[in-house]
Amino acid sequence: MTVTDKGVGFDKNQIEELFKKFTKMSRLGTANELSTGIGLYLCKKIIERHKGTLTAISEGKNKGAEFKIEFEL
């Protein structure tokens, strides 16, 4: 499964930071709520516990992002 957005994106050198617990890359939510910086970390851990992978790519800042979830069959 792939999810693509046209949001703020990220630089290639930020991919590892993106999935860290309590990352400083967090942003305001869609209702302007504060972020804990733990969402993608938890998603990745849950997916990995189910023998899957979560990856992310982006063309750079303000160019959106693509998140891909894959599971072994």
Side-chain angles (χ1 to χ4, degrees), residues 17-18 22-28 34-38:
E17 179 68 25
L18 195 64
F22 304 117
T23 180
K24 301 296 182 207
M25 289 182 63
S26 60
R27 305 215 167 48
L28 289 177
L34 295 177
S35 172
T36 61
I38 198 169

Side-chain angles (χ1 to χ4, degrees), residues 2-44:
T2 302
V3 177
T4 305
D5 68 34
K6 296 179 186 209
V8 296
F10 53 87
D11 290 327
K12 292 178 184 176
N13 62 342
Q14 294 177 301
I15 291 176
E16 287 196 30
E17 179 68 25
L18 195 64
F19 294 107
K20 284 185 179 176
K21 192 175 186 179
F22 304 117
T23 180
K24 301 296 182 207
M25 289 182 63
S26 60
R27 305 215 167 48
L28 289 177
T30 55
N32 290 324
E33 71 273 16
L34 295 177
S35 172
T36 61
I38 198 169
L40 285 173
Y41 168 81
L42 289 176
C43 289
K44 187 171 177 94

Side-chain angles (χ1 to χ4, degrees), residues 34-72:
L34 295 177
S35 172
T36 61
I38 198 169
L40 285 173
Y41 168 81
L42 289 176
C43 289
K44 187 171 177 94
K45 292 298 177 189
I46 291 167
I47 291 165
E48 288 174 347
R49 294 267 171 128
H50 288 86
K51 309 247 187 271
T53 58
L54 172 61
T55 57
I57 59 171
S58 176
E59 298 276 327
K61 288 190 177 187
N62 299 315
K63 295 187 178 180
E66 180 179 291
F67 295 87
K68 185 182 283 189
I69 300 169
E70 296 179 293
F71 290 99
E72 293 179 25

